[in-house]
Amino acid sequence: QVQLAESGGGLVQAGGSLRLSCAASGGEISPYNMGWFRQAPGKEREFVAVISWSRARTDYTDSVKGRVTISRDNAKNTVSLQMNSLKPEDTAVYYCAADGGVLLSRSPSAYEYWGQGTQVTVSS
């Protein structure tokens, strides 16, 4: 059973940057596609980015393209999300998740393991 723990969230001004990290324990992330999702108050959880188990493929939601980069280090069992040029609308709790499927998925229901989340707040 893979356990995921996010870190790196915080309060930042608009235009600033944050780097979120997701550390796995209890198992290796190497077989899994790893995704980041976010959930703002009163809204559904939404897809942000995903990276394949081999790092060969990535996918981003349109609203973060060009500002966000997902990466992974299978040797360290970690996944990261570098976020630049942050906007107030990026404010949310950010979650990392693991999906054992073959194709990259944007659907939360495809992901088997989830972290507890880390809060990102962007002030205007």
Side-chain angles (χ1 to χ4, degrees):
Q1 179 111 357
V2 176
Q3 297 176 338
L4 302 173
E6 303 91 341
S7 61
L11 174 63
V12 63
Q13 289 187 331
S17 298
L18 281 175
R19 185 176 181 86
L20 306 184
S21 295
C22 175
S25 60
E28 296 185 352
I29 64 168
S30 54
Y32 297 95
N33 299 327
M34 298 299 296
W36 284 93
F37 291 78
R38 65 187 180 187
Q39 188 166 17
K43 295 187 176 181
E44 293 187 353
R45 191 167 298 189
E46 67 170 352
F47 166 78
V48 177
V50 61
I51 185 168
S52 64
W53 64 271
S54 66
R55 297 179 296 178
R57 294 171 291 152
T58 57
D59 185 28
Y60 297 90
T61 193
D62 286 347
S63 63
V64 306
K65 283 182 180 177
R67 301 189 296 119
V68 168
T69 302
I70 188 171
S71 60
R72 66 189 294 163
D73 186 334
N74 288 341
K76 294 183 178 180
N77 230 18
T78 59
V79 183
S80 297
L81 191 71
Q82 177 66 45
M83 304 191 295
N84 302 321
S85 301
L86 283 162
K87 304 175 181 180
E89 51 263 44
D90 294 318
T91 295
V93 177
Y94 283 70
Y95 300 88
C96 72
D99 170 20
V102 175
L103 301 177
L104 299 186
S105 178
R106 295 186 170 199
S107 173
S109 63
Y111 290 76
E112 301 159 51
Y113 302 108
W114 291 84
Q116 293 300 308
T118 185
Q119 175 71 47
V120 171
T121 303
V122 184
S123 63
S124 57

